Amino acid sequence: MDRYEAQQQIGSLLVIDLGEKGTYLGELLSVLTEPKKPWRGRIQIKSVVTLPEFIFQNETIAIHEIPYSEDDVDTFASQYLTTRSPHIHVESYIDSILTDLKKRYIRLKNNGAPSAVEIEALEVYIKTMTSQKRKKNRLVKSEQHDEEQTPSFVEYTFHVKGDDYFLQDSKGEQLPLTVSHFHYTWNQQGQLVTGRYEGDGIFIRENGSRFIPNEGDLILIDKEQFNPYSIFQTELEPAALQGFEHNLALHHVSHKDLIHCYNALIDQLFHSESTTTFRGVNFLTYQTDDQFVLVQHHFKRELRSQQQPTKDTVYDRFEFTTDKGKRTIALYTNAYQ
């Protein structure tokens, strides 16, 4: 991007690709220009996309050697900066490190002859970092324990462009409307009501009544629905969710023990208007005082159009691994129903 395009990106997240020193996400604070020289960006680091390879040396992990910590500010030449692809997931700093450590862990586990020492080191670091996050979460929860939780909404307006229906927020960000488990809220005869999107610009309530908004009508979405873990649960078939919860119980953990959730499906759902096949891996971490449980959720979704007689194909594979060495696999698919 040139300096003029960069000016339009101030306040947005950019990708900082430093090669062997890692890749990061950071907020562009300002654009620095000098005559006849490439522009530079003043960036505040927000999270990690890829950890630098040099921290994995001699089968140890030197997390303290990551060049940038959360909220560090530095100036980078334009050659290192690019706009963020919608498929690059945005997480907090500690969550982003956990996600990349888990991706490396999975790669090594899938390797024909993984290094037992590095596998053990990764397990120790993942467990240590999730313990730190768990303690922090406990403090936050204790402060909020007695507070009444009321829905907090994100405001959108409804729009139609040709055959496409979408919502748009105050910043101009667009959210394509697709048939999903998402709930939407709108004002109907002076009352806020909730329903799902049926398709073709039509929303439907549980009582069967339909709502066709006009161009520019206000549509609300409860912020909790953007929680990666909430989306993970709502996108599971009821039988798959029940089976997943059963396996959590077998490992002596529950939803309340969740420490970290990386949901690879979020950006695919929100930024893939014409895509009908979704696949990937989610990472979930649970921890109690007694154990650490890592769950890999391999998913595949093939969506059928309303004209096709067959239903959507759903595939979910859950791999549970504990720090005690216990490993369990659970599978759900509707392909044979």
Side-chain angles (χ1 to χ4, degrees):
M1 86 185 100
D2 60 32
R3 63 184 65 193
Y4 302 105
E5 293 172 322
Q7 289 285 353
Q8 305 301 314
Q9 295 294 325
I10 291 177
S12 300
L13 292 177
L14 297 185
V15 176
I16 308 108
D17 188 347
L18 301 179
E20 295 181 354
K21 292 185 178 181
T23 305
Y24 307 85
L25 276 182
E27 180 183 347
L28 179 61
L29 302 178
S30 60
V31 176
L32 308 177
T33 60
E34 297 180 58
K36 299 182 180 180
K37 289 186 177 181
W39 65 273
R40 294 174 298 147
R42 188 165 174 266
I43 305 283
Q44 185 174 46
I45 301 296
K46 294 299 181 183
S47 62
V48 175
V49 178
T50 306
L51 290 165
E53 188 63 30
F54 63 75
I55 72 169
F56 303 97
Q57 296 293 336
N58 301 319
E59 298 181 319
T60 62
I61 306 171
I63 292 290
H64 63 281
E65 293 184 8
I66 299 175
Y68 293 100
S69 300
E70 185 176 15
D71 292 331
D72 280 357
V73 176
D74 202 353
T75 301
F76 300 92
S78 58
Q79 69 193 71
Y80 301 115
L81 305 176
T82 57
T83 56
R84 179 182 72 89
S85 162
H87 298 293
I88 295 180
H89 197 45
V90 180
E91 296 186 289
S92 68
Y93 186 80
I94 188 170
D95 281 344
S96 66
I97 292 177
L98 276 167
T99 294
D100 202 54
L101 288 176
K102 289 173 186 176
K103 288 180 177 179
R104 187 180 184 92
Y105 178 83
I106 301 307
R107 287 197 301 269
L108 286 175
K109 292 284 281 188
N110 291 335
N111 187 350
S115 164
V117 176
E118 186 171 357
I119 287 286
E120 183 179 351
L122 281 165
E123 289 176 345
V124 169
Y125 269 92
I126 291 171
K127 185 175 181 179
T128 301
M129 293 186 73
T130 50
S131 294
Q132 294 173 356
K133 186 174 180 184
R134 185 165 181 253
K135 291 177 182 178
K136 183 179 178 181
N137 286 350
R138 277 178 170 174
L139 291 173
V140 172
K141 287 179 180 178
S142 65
E143 293 172 356
Q144 297 176 341
H145 181 71
D146 296 325
E147 294 182 8
E148 182 180 355
Q149 297 298 308
T150 56
S152 178
F153 294 106
V154 181
E155 295 187 354
Y156 290 90
T157 49
F158 175 83
H159 299 278
V160 183
K161 188 175 182 180
D163 295 329
D164 296 325
Y165 301 88
F166 61 92
L167 302 179
Q168 184 169 298
D169 66 13
S170 58
K171 296 181 179 179
E173 292 286 333
Q174 294 182 0
L175 181 65
L177 281 169
T178 58
V179 178
S180 69
H181 295 294
F182 240 55
H183 284 88
Y184 302 89
T185 300
W186 61 89
N187 189 311
Q188 193 164 351
Q189 297 178 342
Q191 289 187 332
L192 289 180
V193 298
T194 300
R196 300 181 186 275
Y197 181 66
E198 188 178 44
D200 297 325
I202 303 171
F203 295 81
I204 184 170
R205 297 169 60 184
E206 286 189 6
N207 63 10
S209 66
R210 288 175 169 78
F211 171 65
I212 303 177
N214 296 314
E215 177 75 15
D217 274 1
L218 187 66
I219 302 290
L220 307 175
I221 300 179
D222 187 342
K223 286 182 179 179
E224 177 59 24
Q225 292 192 96
F226 291 108
N227 180 314
Y229 194 56
S230 295
I231 293 175
F232 161 74
Q233 292 179 74
T234 57
E235 287 301 324
L236 292 178
E237 295 281 305
L241 178 59
Q242 184 179 10
F244 174 69
E245 291 173 336
H246 173 73
N247 277 279
L248 285 180
L250 289 179
H251 289 82
H252 307 292
V253 294
S254 65
H255 294 307
K256 66 181 178 62
D257 298 313
L258 178 81
I259 297 300
H260 173 238
C261 172
Y262 171 76
N263 191 332
L265 184 59
I266 293 178
D267 285 323
Q268 292 186 47
L269 286 172
F270 291 165
H271 299 98
S272 303
E273 300 178 43
S274 59
T275 301
T276 57
T277 299
F278 305 90
R279 67 176 67 199
V281 183
N282 297 326
F283 299 105
L284 310 169
T285 307
Y286 302 83
Q287 188 169 359
T288 67
D289 293 333
D290 301 318
Q291 67 171 336
F292 161 83
V293 181
L294 172 64
V295 180
Q296 302 168 56
H297 170 221
H298 299 257
F299 64 85
K300 182 178 180 181
R301 304 285 187 269
E302 292 185 354
L303 308 183
R304 310 296 184 187
S305 67
Q306 294 180 346
Q307 290 74 33
Q308 291 179 292
T310 56
K311 59 186 176 181
D312 297 345
T313 300
V314 177
Y315 171 88
D316 294 291
R317 175 187 170 94
F318 302 96
E319 298 180 13
F320 297 79
T321 305
T322 76
D323 58 346
K324 306 292 194 303
K326 180 179 179 181
R327 187 165 180 263
T328 306
I329 296 177
L331 177 66
Y332 171 83
T333 179
N334 68 353
Y336 307 110
Q337 295 178 3

